Amino acid sequence: MEREESVCRVFLNKPESLNALDLEMRAELSDIIEAVRSDPKIKAMIISGKGRAFCAGGDIKSMQQPFKPLDGRKRLKELHRWLTNLIHLPIPVIAAVNGIAAGAGCNLALASDIIIASVDAKFAQSFVKVGLIPDTGGLYFLPRLIGLNRAKELMFTGRMIDAQEAKEIGLVNKVVEADKLLPMASQLAFELANGATNAIALTKRILNLSLNSDLESVLEFEALAQDICFGTEHFIEGRNAFLEKRKPVFK
């Protein structure tokens, strides 16, 4: 993990295995996410990969032993602990996808808030190629991003798509040249980190809840959260800046 002021950058760094999510990397991610969650000075987070891959998915080499009943469930529940902590971080999480994002690697990107992809990026729901169902939250996030039928096609076939197709179907937010990926992600991270972070945190929380809530519930979340925002220094600064026709300086 690299730290620059209020932004942290996390790099998956096992390029020899295309940054496959082995048990060691999962444990390290869990520790990093907990450290970020416990540090109020970190206001935005970037996840990217070293080498030519973002993350090639799960570590198939660690799956050679026979699985007993419920071994697979235990393995996934351990993954879910840090994954849900990542999803519920009260700060923006940006995935800067630099190359291959397959299987669990694709779904790790989907678990972030914003995805910026290099033109070299490729995405695949490759689980079916090894006789598995999609995991790492993909069954939840993908149909909500690109629609049910498109999600079924990608998950049933395991077909790899390039960055441009991913952008066209709504899987990623932006596609940039490879040398502009981290600068673009960093620029956005600092913009968000220097923004109205209380409002961003509450917005993220309600958006996540809204996926499984009815209109009345979301309106109630809205009313409660806005009540909190009205009492913050960020609102006072934002209001005064608007009236004074200047750019707000959020602290």
Side-chain angles (χ1 to χ4, degrees), residues 19-77:
N19 301 323
L21 281 173
D22 59 22
L23 297 180
E24 181 183 14
M25 186 180 287
R26 293 181 188 202
E28 291 173 353
L29 277 172
S30 179
D31 290 343
I32 288 170
I33 293 164
E34 186 58 41
V36 170
R37 187 171 65 166
S38 302
D39 189 341
K41 293 182 180 179
I42 296 177
K43 302 298 184 184
M45 176 178 174
I46 298 169
I47 301 176
S48 192
K50 293 287 189 179
R52 63 189 183 92
F54 175 74
C55 175
D59 180 26
I60 302 298
K61 291 181 180 178
S62 69
M63 304 178 195
Q64 297 184 64
Q65 80 287 355
F67 279 85
K68 298 176 182 177
L70 298 183
D71 280 354
R73 182 179 187 276
K74 179 181 178 182
R75 182 186 180 98
L76 266 294
K77 296 304 286 186

Side-chain angles (χ1 to χ4, degrees), residues 14 43 45 57 86 101 136 153 158 187 192 194 219 232:
K14 288 194 175 181
K43 302 298 184 184
M45 176 178 174
L86 172 67
T136 319
E153 188 251 325
Q187 179 183 346
L192 297 174
N194 292 321
L219 291 176
T232 65

